[in-house]
Amino acid sequence: MKILVCISHVPDTTAKINFTSDSSALDGNGIQFVINPYDEFGLTKALQLKEKHGGTVTVVTYGDTRVEQTLRKALAIGADDAVRLDGIPTDPMQVAGELAAHVQSAGYDLVICGQESIDYNGGIVPGALAAHLDWAFVNACIGLTLEGQQADCLREMDGGKEAVKATLPMVIAGKKGLVEESELRIPNMRGIMTARTKPLIPQPLAGTTPASHPASFTKPAPKAAVQLIDSSNLEELVRRLHEEAKVI
Amino acid sequence: MVLIFAETWNGHFKKSTFEAVRYGAQCATSQGSKAVAIVVGPCAPPVESLGAYGATHVIHLHGSDRFEPFAFAAAIAAVAKEHDATHIIVSGTANGKALAGVLASKASASAISNITALPTGFAPLTVQRSAFSSKGIEVCVSDARCTVMVLVPNALGAGAAGSDTAQVEDRHISFEGKSHPGDAQVASGSIPLPEAERVISAGRGMKGPENWGMIEELATVLQAGTACSKPVSDIGWRPHSEHVGQTGIQINPQLYIAIGISGAIQHLAGVSGSKTIVVINNDPEAPFFKAADYGIIGDAFDVVPRLTQALKAYLSN
Ligand SMILES: Cc1cc2nc3c(=O)[nH]c(=O)nc-3n(C[C@H](O)[C@H](O)[C@H](O)COP(=O)(O)OP(=O)(O)OC[C@H]3O[C@@H](n4cnc5c(N)ncnc54)[C@H](O)[C@@H]3O)c2cc1C
Ligand SMILES: Nc1ncnc2c1ncn2[C@@H]1O[C@H](COP(=O)(O)O)[C@@H](O)[C@H]1O
C-alpha cells in the first residue's frame, strides 16, 4: 500500500504572530515552524497502517526550501521519503491542484491530510484535492481501519459522530482521535540519523493558478483590561452580564 | 445570483442556516441580485419560511436524506452553474466544512473560509476572515468568477425574522456519493459547540471527572454547551468532542465562561472570538484573566454552585 501524508509547515502553537510592516504577509522572524498538529496525527496513523499492512509512507509539502526542516522531521519520525513541491502557495485551490498533480503522477492508495492548517485555518485543501482526484473523501476523520480496499471511517459531526464506509483510493482529513495523543511518535536519535540519508526530492510545479490571494493582514484589537468582581458578590456579575454585556 | 446551502439536521434547519441565508441575502442586496437557498432532503418546517431571512427563492432538492460531500457538492454545483452563481454561501458546521472544498472544485470556484464579516467589495470579492487561530485578521480577495464562502458560525447573527416567504421550486434528482454513511450517534439534547450561544468550559482545575456535575448544572441553567481544555479530554475526563482551542473546536459564542482553565495561548486561540469571556480561577496570576472581560478570583467549588443559584434567581424573575 502506498500512503501519502500531506504536511503543512506552520508556526509553532506558542508563536506570537506578527505581520510585515506593509501588512502583506506573516513576519516569520523568530518563529519556530513545526509539522501542522493535525498532520502529526495523520503521519502517525500512516506509520501504523504501514506496520499492519505493509507498503510505504511518503510525505509531501508544497513550499520553498524553508519547509525542508519540517519534512526532515517527518522523515525522522518514520516516513520513507519526502517530496517538496517547489513554490510558495497563496491559495488553497492552488495547493489542492498541485497536490493532485503529484498524486496522479506517483500513484497512491490513500492520501491523509489534516482537517486544517493552523496557520491560515483554511480547511479547504483536502476536499478540493479529493474532488480533483475524484476519490472518496471523509473530513474530520477520527477513526480509520482498512481491510483490503475497504475503509471503515469514523467522522466527527456537530454534537456526535458517524460511521462512513468507502473504497480505496480515498482522501481523509484527520484530527485527534485518528490516533490518540499518547500514540504520537517523536523522532529518536536513530530516526534523526537515518532521516539525513532518506530521499527528499524537490519537484517542479504543474502550474496551477491561484483562485484567491491575501490583500492584507492585521492583528485583532487588544482586549480591554479585565473587570474583577468580588467572589462574594456574584449578583453583581449576573447584573453586568445582563446590563453591560447583554448576554443573558 | 447568490446561492445559499440551507443545511438541515434531522429534517430541521440548523440555526446556522438562518445566519447563512441572512448573509447571502445581504450580499445579494448589495449587488442587486437574487438570494436563492438550496435545501436538500426532507425538511419539516415549510422551506418557504427561509424568506423570513431574505431568500427570495428556495430550490428544494429531493432524493437524499443523508449528507455525503460528493453527492451534495455535485447537486449544488449543478444549480450554481445553471444559474451562474457568483457566490455560494456555506456555514462552517461539520458538514459545511466537509462540503466546502469539494464544492469549490466542482463549481470551478475559489474558496474563502473562516469569514467573520460582510464583504467590503464585490468586484472583486473582498472579505475579512480569521487566520492564525484568531491571532490574525486577513483580508482576502477572490480571483475567480464564483466563490464558495464559508462563514464562522455565530459570528454574524441571523437578525430578526421577517414575514416574507420565498418562492419554492421542488426538484427530484438522483444523488451520487462516493462514500456510504452508516450509523450515526448524536448526543441527544446536547447543543453542538460551534452553534452554542453560550459555552461553559472547565479545565484541570476541576480535579476530576466526578466534579463535572456543577459544570453541567450551570450549563443547563444558561442553556449552554459544555466544553473543556485539551488535557481534560486527553486524560479522558471528558469526550474529545468537547475539546476547544487551537487544536480542538473553535468557537465564537456570545458568552464563554472558563472555569479552572489557566488560559494557555493554544486554548485562547480557539475561544478568543467569544463576545464576552468570564474567567473563574483561584490563581490571580492565571494568564486567562488577561483575555477576560469579567474575572472572579476564587475556588471553583465555592463559586460555581453559588453562581448557578444567582443565575437561577435572576432568570426566574
Ligand atoms: C501543540 C499543542 C496544542 C495545544 N492545543 C490546545 C487546545 O486546543 N486547547 C487547549 O485547551 N489546550 C491546548 N494545549 C495545551 C495548553 O498548552 C495547556 O496545557 C492547557 O490548555 C492547560 O489546560 P488547563 O488550563 O485545563 O490546565 P492547567 O494549565 O493545569 O490549569 C488549571 C487551572 O485551574 C486553576 N485551578 C486549580 N484549582 C482551582 C480551583 N479549585 N478553582 C478555580 N481554579 C482552579 C489553576 O489556577 C490553573 O490556572 C496545546 C498544547 C500544545 C503543545
Ligand atoms: N502547502 C501544503 N503542502 C502540503 N499539504 C498541505 C499544504 N497546505 C495544506 N495541506 C494539507 O491540507 C490540510 C488542510 O489544510 P488547509 O486546507 O490549508 O487548512 C493540511 O492539514 C495538510 O494535510
Side-chain angles (χ1 to χ4, degrees), chain B residues 27-264:
Chain B
C27 290
T29 308
S30 304
Q31 303 172 87
S33 77
K34 283 193 309 192
V36 179
I38 187 158
V39 179
V40 182
C43 185
V47 297
E48 56 266 33
S49 64
L50 291 178
Y53 297 92
T56 50
H57 293 74
V58 176
I59 297 175
H60 190 172
L61 302 180
H62 303 268
S64 166
D65 54 3
R66 238 357 229 288
F67 174 79
E68 202 285 336
F70 268 84
F72 274 47
I76 297 168
V79 174
K81 287 211 166 133
E82 173 191 330
H83 289 270
D84 196 15
T86 49
H87 306 78
I88 308 177
I89 316 289
V90 173
S91 185
T93 59
N95 288 351
K97 285 180 172 171
L99 177 71
V102 184
L103 176 57
S105 178
K106 295 249 174 235
S108 315
S110 61
I112 303 180
S113 60
N114 258 343
I115 293 176
T116 52
L118 281 166
T120 50
F122 287 95
L125 176 72
T126 306
V127 67
Q128 177 180 311
R129 63 188 296 275
S130 152
F132 297 96
S133 308
S134 308
K135 291 184 226 170
I137 298 166
E138 175 185 350
V139 175
C140 190
V141 179
S142 175
D143 299 314
R145 159 137 191 85
C146 176
T147 308
V148 172
M149 304 174 70
V150 190
L151 312 182
V152 171
N154 259 339
L156 294 134
S163 56
D164 293 342
T165 58
Q167 205 177 319
V168 180
E169 184 192 334
D170 286 287
R171 293 187 186 180
H172 295 264
I173 64 166
S174 64
F175 283 82
E176 262 172 66
K178 291 197 169 288
S179 63
H180 307 280
D183 294 344
Q185 318 158 1
V186 173
S188 61
S190 80
I191 303 172
L193 275 180
E195 281 184 31
E197 297 225 349
R198 299 171 187 149
V199 174
I200 314 298
S201 186
R204 233 167 13 191
M206 293 307 296
K207 312 279 190 276
E210 66 282 6
N211 297 324
W212 247 263
M214 67 176 91
I215 302 297
E216 278 165 356
E217 236 175 282
L218 177 56
T220 306
V221 170
L222 282 174
Q223 294 174 302
T226 49
C228 67
S229 67
K230 177 169 175 286
V232 162
S233 79
D234 286 344
I235 2 175
W237 292 358
R238 301 295 292 178
H240 287 321
S241 54
E242 285 196 0
H243 158 197
V244 291
Q246 184 156 25
T247 52
I249 293 175
Q250 284 170 31
I251 55 171
N252 298 270
Q254 294 290 307
L255 174 63
Y256 183 70
I257 305 186
I259 301 161
I261 301 178
S262 56

Side-chain angles (χ1 to χ4, degrees), chain A residues 65-166:
Chain A
T65 49
R66 286 172 289 185
V67 308
E68 291 195 353
Q69 40 151 325
T70 297
L71 285 171
R72 284 275 173 230
K73 188 174 171 206
L75 292 171
I77 290 173
D80 298 297
D81 59 343
V83 172
R84 179 173 68 79
L85 304 177
D86 184 22
I88 301 181
T90 55
D91 166 67
M93 300 310 284
Q94 179 189 28
V95 175
E98 292 298 333
L99 289 173
H102 170 68
V103 172
Q104 275 156 345
S105 72
Y108 293 95
D109 303 293
L110 173 65
V111 175
I112 302 182
C113 294
Q115 174 178 265
E116 70 171 38
S117 303
I118 63 162
D119 50 1
Y120 299 94
N121 308 111
I124 296 295
V125 169
L129 171 59
H132 266 286
L133 297 169
D134 204 32
W135 291 4
F137 173 54
V138 173
N139 197 42
C141 189
I142 51 170
L144 169 67
T145 52
L146 296 179
E147 226 180 280
Q149 297 301 105
Q150 179 71 39
D152 274 299
C153 311
L154 202 57
R155 175 175 93 95
E156 193 170 84
M157 295 191 295
D158 289 335
K161 41 192 157 186
E162 83 179 345
V164 180
K165 283 190 191 300

Side-chain angles (χ1 to χ4, degrees), chain A residues 207-227:
Chain A
T208 316
T209 42
S212 71
H213 68 272
S216 66
F217 293 92
T218 48
K219 292 214 271 184
K223 222 162 173 139
V226 60
Q227 303 189 43

